Amino acid sequence: MRYRTIGHTTVSAIGLGAMPLSIEHRPDEARAVATIHAALDAGVTLIDTADSYHWHAGEAGHNEELIARALARYGGDTSNVLVATKGGRGRPGDGSWTVTATPAHLKHAAEASAKRLGVDAIGLYQLHKPDPTVPWAESVGALRGLLDAGTIRAAGISNVTCDQIREAHQILGDGLVSVQNQYSPVVRDSEPELRLSAQLGLAFLPWSPLGGISRSSLDGPSGPASTGPASISAAFHRIAAERGVSPQQVTLAWLLARSPAVIPVPGASRPASVTDSAGATELTLSAGELARLEA
């Protein structure tokens, strides 16, 4: 396992996105716990969650509680595991997502998350999404209050623009340690946010990092398109076949090569998936391979 840093904390270069363990079509608890344990066995020390990662109404915190139980049942040392959670979104139970990032809500949500995780202070607490009805400075100011109160040790922001990163950095200073935006081979809209994060010394945690690299074509896509997302996916599959690894490992290795600030958090709902993802830290793509993936 290779390692990178989030603020002053050293974590595995690949994290576990735990959302699939609690939302629609989630696995049973035995398999969910086994998936988390497989991540820990593989050297993963970053687990990404949120209070809104649940399926049904009235289940807020399902994923956080699951992670807490899994860590408590693990036979090894978990003192170096950073559980990063998020607040500011909700799920009414009908499949939709809401956004509420008022200072009062974030304060209550962070305190509830800390209780569910069984910690005195949350290692990394991230504002899940800007609330269009609340001034950005007020939402970020709530994170400042949580830092000052000792409820959280570090703050992050998610689904943000460069201007929002700069403003949050002015308000939080060294308390801001991470940015989490969607980023993958086929979704690169956050390239400017990645560059800015690296300039400011912030970790960049791509969510949905495997987007567009389907597992259904592990044996090689048939007749891929010459342009567009299908062509991009085909390039990753071709290199994977040449290297004898999964396209997902190639994708994660490509992400790690983008910047030292990048720490992907691919989701998983099976032990085999997270073990494969963790293996990407051992895969180094050559300059020629990276050029082919950029072509």
Side-chain angles (χ1 to χ4, degrees), residues 5-260:
T5 58
I6 301 178
H8 298 297
T9 303
T10 299
V11 298
S12 53
I14 299 286
L16 167 64
M19 182 175 74
L21 303 176
S22 290
I23 62 168
E24 289 83 343
H25 313 298
R26 64 195 181 204
D28 60 31
E29 177 148 337
R31 195 176 93 187
V33 170
T35 300
I36 295 171
H37 287 180
L40 299 174
D41 289 342
V44 171
T45 62
L46 171 64
I47 302 177
D48 179 77
T49 182
D51 60 2
S52 57
Y53 289 169
H54 61 88
W55 185 350
H56 308 291
E59 284 189 329
H62 181 281
N63 200 238
E64 294 171 326
E65 292 174 341
L66 171 66
I67 291 168
R69 289 194 297 272
L71 291 175
R73 297 174 192 171
Y74 188 63
D77 180 18
T78 61
S79 61
N80 63 336
V81 175
L82 174 64
V83 178
T85 192
K86 296 181 285 294
R89 302 207 74 178
R91 301 206 74 194
D94 60 0
S96 66
W97 296 77
T98 60
V99 181
T100 307
T102 63
H105 175 82
L106 292 173
K107 179 178 184 297
H108 172 77
E111 291 170 350
S113 289
K115 184 175 181 180
R116 285 190 290 263
L117 292 170
V119 297
D120 295 329
I122 297 170
L124 173 58
Y125 191 71
Q126 304 161 96
L127 176 55
H128 207 153
K129 188 175 184 178
D131 185 338
T133 69
V134 179
W136 179 238
E138 290 186 14
S139 295
V140 176
L143 297 181
R144 177 76 266 169
L146 291 168
L147 286 165
D148 294 342
T151 307
I152 67 175
R153 292 196 177 94
I157 50 178
S158 183
N159 299 299
V160 289
T161 65
C162 285
D163 286 344
Q164 288 168 332
I165 295 171
R166 292 188 185 96
E167 187 172 0
H169 190 251
Q170 289 177 345
I171 295 169
L172 299 172
D174 291 342
L176 179 66
V177 299
S178 66
V179 171
Q180 188 170 30
N181 279 12
Q182 184 177 17
Y183 188 82
S184 70
V186 298
V187 180
R188 305 193 196 182
D189 295 347
S190 283
E191 195 79 47
E193 287 75 20
L194 167 56
R195 289 195 298 269
L196 178 59
S197 296
Q199 291 168 10
L200 295 176
L202 308 175
F204 186 87
L205 284 55
W207 63 263
S208 195
L210 300 175
I213 310 298
S214 68
R215 292 187 181 276
S216 62
S217 54
L218 273 171
D219 295 329
S222 176
S226 59
T227 60
S231 176
I232 295 171
S233 177
F236 284 80
H237 281 261
R238 282 192 291 269
I239 289 177
E242 293 167 5
R243 297 292 293 265
V245 298
S246 71
Q248 289 69 38
Q249 278 200 13
V250 174
T251 303
L252 294 170
W254 172 83
L255 283 163
L256 291 173
R258 301 298 290 170
S259 167

